């Protein structure tokens, strides 16, 4: 099936923290291979492998110094080949991170580009002359703090870096750069990978005139965000229209490898849904995109409904990939804890919710254990963002701590050495082994609900239509080929009773429903309760909270 990704479930593996095989405290490819049976037991369709290519690790692999070599920290190309082979033997696809908006400053391309203004790669990065007073050419800030421009005395110019100073941005306005990065994608496709997660996919192009960004009026009216990056509308530094033509070139390459797919990361707080829709519409661009709309603190029915409806209004034939957690944000179990009667109840409800939305799904390693965010001391941090903006922004280390595998003391089978980040008691207590034999565990629930969803084509591919219901209830129905599924979620720690007008007599709850009961046309939902009811597509319903 060439469109396995449509409605599929992807499991993100963060290699540094999954399983260490050699005792150096950092996870690696042989470690992932040794844990493939655990991944397979979840019933997912695909692994997303965070960066494993050669890197100085200034940004944990998102600063690439050689696109076609595996970093020795993680293993070898032979280990990668074995991982692909072993995953495919278990019916699991593998997509890998590709960070092509920028490289490490140690990359050969940049080493040559910075040497002079006349060498063969002089225009492969974004270089600009200073203003008459020597200042940078415009006001663009870097995500990780400071100006996005760094001075190079050899060339007598500034270069652009949207992230760390050691992560110079490639110049996608140069066709040779586009050709080079497409050659990188081809290298891995020919090696057997099933596609790519494309990092910062809307950062590829910048405004050729280097116009300054305007301020964000919302920020000016309110309290300042921790980073000045959030004080601007990034109208010119990213999300440029030229991106669409490059995405068409990337899709044409992927289409040469039937069954391959692409997931683009869209980072733009002002128009991420519109960009997601534009980047996945038409069948000639990316297969899927995700943004950060569900990776923040908002946990309301209005928020979920409005984001989904806006996406499909902007691109009816586009396709999203929804996720609640990943390696860049605090784990959702902790972000949304204020809305939960308990963290396990929230873990169950949020899995049921993300699996019932229209789109594909990405789960982050450790979700299946109900892992909360790890509380770290400043001296335990490794993330440059957290180190720079502490304590207002504690960075990304809290969601990146190692997977706990075995019962007992930390690091719970992750490594025989000292882990690169600590395993704290809250995570240690939720190890895979401690949950494996418990039918009521979060891990058992994940396996059960993922298996159930595989039998529900309506949830993978069906249309979605929302009911007008008051907070905190989110209600919608999915419809496909004459069948529909009613999906209702109580997004609160209090109980609610609903009236389901038009519900057929004898309607029953699907077995994965939680803290829910139907009596006639009345539905009782306990704290963080939710209900699934299979219906005929012709059934006319209304949903309301009972007074």
């Amino acid at each position: 099936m060439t469109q396995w990704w449509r409605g599929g479930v992807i499991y993100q593996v963060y290699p540094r923290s999954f399983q260490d095989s050699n005792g150096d405290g950092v996870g690696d490819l042989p470690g992932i291979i040794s844990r493939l049976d655990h991944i397979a037991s979840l019933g997912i369709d695909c692994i997303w492998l965070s960066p494993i290519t050669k890197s100085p690790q200034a940004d944990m692999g998102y600063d690439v110094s050689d696109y076609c070599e595996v970093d020795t920290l993680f293993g070898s190309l032979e280990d990668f080949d074995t991982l692909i082979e072993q995953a495919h033997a278990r019916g699991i696809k593998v997509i890998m991170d590709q960070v092509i908006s920028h490289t490490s400053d140690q990359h050969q391309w940049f080493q040559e580009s910075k040497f002079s203004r006349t060498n063969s790669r002089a225009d492969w990065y974004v270089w600009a002359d200073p203003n008459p007073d020597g200042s940078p050419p415009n006001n663009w800030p870097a995500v990780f703090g400071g100006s996005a421009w760094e001075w190079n005395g050899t060339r007598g110019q500034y270069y652009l870096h949207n992230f760390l100073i050691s992560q110079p941005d490639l110049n996608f306005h140069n066709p040779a750069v586009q050709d080079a990065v497409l050659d990188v994608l081809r290298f891995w496709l020919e090696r057997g990978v099933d596609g790519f997660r494309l990092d910062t996919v809307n950062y590829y192009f910048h405004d050729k005139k280097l116009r300054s960004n305007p301020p964000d009026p919302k920020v000016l009216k309110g309290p300042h965000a921790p980073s000045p990056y959030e004080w601007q509308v990034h109208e010119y530094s990213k999300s440029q229209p030229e991106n669409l033509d490059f995405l068409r070139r990337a899709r044409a390459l992927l289409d040469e490898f039937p069954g391959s797919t692409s997931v683009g990361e869209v980072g733009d707080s002002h128009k991420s849904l519109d960009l997601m829709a534009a980047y996945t519409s038409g069948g000639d661009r990316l297969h899927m995109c995700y943004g950060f709309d569900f990776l923040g603190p908002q946990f309301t029915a209005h928020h979920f409904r409005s984001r989904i409806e806006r996406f499909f209004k902007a691109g009816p034939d586009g396709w999203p990939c929804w996720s609640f957690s990943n390696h860049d944000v605090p784990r959702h179990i902790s972000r949304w804890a204020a809305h939960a009667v308990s963290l396990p109840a929230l873990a169950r409800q949020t899995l049921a919710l993300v699996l019932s939305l229209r789109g594909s799904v990405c789960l982050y390693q450790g979700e299946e254990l109900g892992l909360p965010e790890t509380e770290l001391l400043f001296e335990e941090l490794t993330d440059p963002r957290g180190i720079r903006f502490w304590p207002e922004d504690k960075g990304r280390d809290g969601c990146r701590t190692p997977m706990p595998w075995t019962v007992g003391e930390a690091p719970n089978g992750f490594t025989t050495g000292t882990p690169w980040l600590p395993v704290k008691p809250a995570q240690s207590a939720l190890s895979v082994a401690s949950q494996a034999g418990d039918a009521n565990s979060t891990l058992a629930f994940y396996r059960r609900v993922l298996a159930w969803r595989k039998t529900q084509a309506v949830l993978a591919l069906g249309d979605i239509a929302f009911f007008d219901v008051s907070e905190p209830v989110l209600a919608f129905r999915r419809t496909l080929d004459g069948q529909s599924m009613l999906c209702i979620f109580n997004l609160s720690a209090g109980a609610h009773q609903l009236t389901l007008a038009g519900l057929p007599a004898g309607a029953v709850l699907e077995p994965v429903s939680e803290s829910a009961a139907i009596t006639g046309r009345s539905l009782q939902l306990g704290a963080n309760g939710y209900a699934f009811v299979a219906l005929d597509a012709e059934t006319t319903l209304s949903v309301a909270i009972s007074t």
Side-chain angles (χ1 to χ4, degrees), residues 218-464:
K218 295 179 182 178
V219 174
L220 293 177
K221 293 178 182 178
H224 281 167
S227 169
Y229 189 84
E230 299 170 49
W231 299 1
Q232 293 184 1
V233 176
H234 297 275
E235 185 173 343
Y236 299 113
S237 53
K238 61 182 181 182
S239 306
Q240 299 303 292
E242 295 95 329
N243 218 32
L244 290 175
D245 284 337
F246 174 73
L247 296 183
R248 291 187 180 95
R249 293 193 67 192
R251 178 59 178 265
L253 170 61
L254 287 159
D255 286 347
E256 294 180 30
F257 298 83
S260 63
T261 195
S262 53
V263 186
E265 177 200 32
V266 175
D268 193 316
S269 60
H270 292 86
K271 50 185 177 181
S272 66
L273 291 162
D274 295 333
L275 289 172
M276 287 168 58
Y279 287 4
T280 60
S281 296
D284 62 347
R285 304 166 194 174
L286 299 182
H287 300 78
M288 301 172 278
C289 274
Y290 79 87
F292 286 75
D293 295 271
F294 295 159
L295 296 171
Q298 298 88 352
F299 190 72
T300 66
H302 170 75
H303 181 69
F304 287 112
R305 175 179 179 174
S306 64
R307 302 299 84 192
I308 293 166
E309 288 186 328
R310 178 170 173 176
F311 174 88
F312 286 109
K313 181 179 180 180
D317 65 338
W319 198 254
C321 184
W322 304 119
S323 58
F324 293 164
S325 284
N326 68 19
H327 66 294
D328 278 333
V329 298
R331 288 184 177 272
H332 70 270
I333 294 301
S334 296
R335 287 201 322 271
W336 297 336
H339 304 273
V341 66
S342 71
L343 295 188
L346 183 62
R348 293 192 295 271
Q349 181 184 61
T350 51
L351 175 67
L353 175 57
V354 75
L355 289 176
S356 60
L357 303 177
R358 178 168 168 80
S360 299
V361 175
C362 187
L363 306 176
Y364 180 47
Q365 67 179 46
E367 271 191 55
E368 72 272 26
L369 306 179
L371 293 185
E373 184 78 353
T374 302
E375 292 295 329
L376 296 170
L377 303 175
F378 177 78
E379 54 266 30
E380 294 172 323
L381 298 184
T382 67
D383 180 21
R385 190 178 87 187
I387 292 170
R388 180 152 195 173
F389 296 119
W390 178 279
E392 289 80 12
D393 182 343
K394 296 181 180 180
R396 301 164 293 178
D397 286 326
C399 66
R400 296 176 175 183
T401 55
M403 282 279 288
W405 294 99
T406 60
V407 176
E409 297 182 355
N412 299 91
F414 165 71
T415 181
T416 57
T418 301
W420 73 286
L421 286 173
V423 179
K424 297 295 182 81
Q427 289 69 34
S428 177
L430 296 172
S431 69
V432 172
S434 70
Q435 298 191 40
D438 182 359
N440 295 316
S441 68
T442 301
L443 176 58
F445 178 84
Y446 263 67
R447 289 169 173 164
R448 184 166 66 252
V449 175
L450 284 161
W452 171 78
R453 185 180 180 275
K454 280 187 176 292
T455 68
Q456 306 296 324
V458 66
L459 294 182
L461 301 171
D463 294 331
I464 189 168

Side-chain angles (χ1 to χ4, degrees), residues 471-473 490-498 523-527 545-546:
E471 296 283 357
V473 174
N490 170 20
L491 304 180
S492 76
H496 289 278
Q497 182 168 313
L498 290 87
L523 172 66
Q524 293 79 39
L525 287 179
I545 296 179
S546 303

Side-chain angles (χ1 to χ4, degrees), residues 90-245:
R90 291 166 172 80
I92 300 172
K93 308 283 188 180
V94 180
I95 63 175
M96 65 184 299
D97 243 310
Q98 284 295 335
V99 190
I100 57 175
S101 68
H102 53 267
T103 70
S104 165
D105 61 0
Q106 301 303 306
H107 198 290
Q108 179 184 348
W109 297 346
F110 186 73
Q111 291 295 307
E112 184 174 348
S113 184
K114 73 175 185 177
F115 185 72
S116 72
R117 299 190 186 193
T118 58
N119 66 80
S120 63
R121 292 194 172 95
D123 194 35
W124 278 42
Y125 291 81
V126 184
W127 295 96
D129 292 328
N131 288 320
D133 63 357
S135 61
N138 60 34
N139 70 346
W140 298 351
V143 174
F144 292 157
S147 172
W149 297 96
E150 180 66 10
W151 179 253
N152 177 266
T154 303
R155 287 185 52 139
Q157 288 182 304
Y158 286 94
Y159 68 84
L160 177 67
H161 63 92
N162 270 297
F163 297 93
L164 294 175
I165 291 172
S166 59
Q167 293 173 297
D169 276 61
L170 286 164
N171 178 21
F172 273 73
H173 290 289
N174 184 341
V177 170
Q178 296 187 34
D179 292 343
V181 297
L182 290 174
D183 285 344
V184 168
L185 301 188
R186 182 179 293 279
F187 171 84
W188 292 106
L189 288 166
E190 290 178 346
R191 206 158 191 108
V193 79
D194 299 292
F196 306 102
R197 179 264 187 184
L198 296 171
D199 184 68
T200 56
V201 75
N202 59 311
Y203 283 75
Y204 294 164
F205 285 84
H206 62 285
D207 175 50
K208 292 185 76 171
K209 297 180 180 178
L210 300 182
R211 288 170 285 188
S212 287
N213 288 324
D216 186 344
K218 295 179 182 178
V219 174
L220 293 177
K221 293 178 182 178
H224 281 167
S227 169
Y229 189 84
E230 299 170 49
W231 299 1
Q232 293 184 1
V233 176
H234 297 275
E235 185 173 343
Y236 299 113
S237 53
K238 61 182 181 182
S239 306
Q240 299 303 292
E242 295 95 329
N243 218 32
L244 290 175
D245 284 337

Side-chain angles (χ1 to χ4, degrees), residues 38-66:
H38 168 77
I39 298 173
S41 76
L42 298 174
I44 55 88
D45 300 295
C46 177
I47 293 169
W48 154 21
L49 199 62
S50 289
I52 56 161
T53 45
K54 189 175 180 180
S55 166
Q57 302 296 320
D59 189 24
M60 304 306 163
Y62 285 89
D63 49 322
V64 179
S65 57
D66 190 330

Side-chain angles (χ1 to χ4, degrees), residues 442-523:
T442 301
L443 176 58
F445 178 84
Y446 263 67
R447 289 169 173 164
R448 184 166 66 252
V449 175
L450 284 161
W452 171 78
R453 185 180 180 275
K454 280 187 176 292
T455 68
Q456 306 296 324
V458 66
L459 294 182
L461 301 171
D463 294 331
I464 189 168
F466 290 87
F467 294 94
D468 294 324
V469 191
S470 302
E471 296 283 357
V473 174
L474 176 67
F476 53 90
R477 69 191 298 172
R478 304 291 307 280
T479 304
L480 180 71
D481 296 336
Q483 299 297 314
S484 73
M485 182 73 72
L486 175 64
C487 312
I488 304 180
F489 297 85
N490 170 20
L491 304 180
S492 76
H496 289 278
Q497 182 168 313
L498 290 87
T499 300
L500 308 181
L503 186 71
V508 297
L509 296 171
E510 289 292 307
V512 296
S513 303
E514 288 263 324
S515 192
I518 286 181
T519 304
R521 291 183 173 87
S522 178
L523 172 66

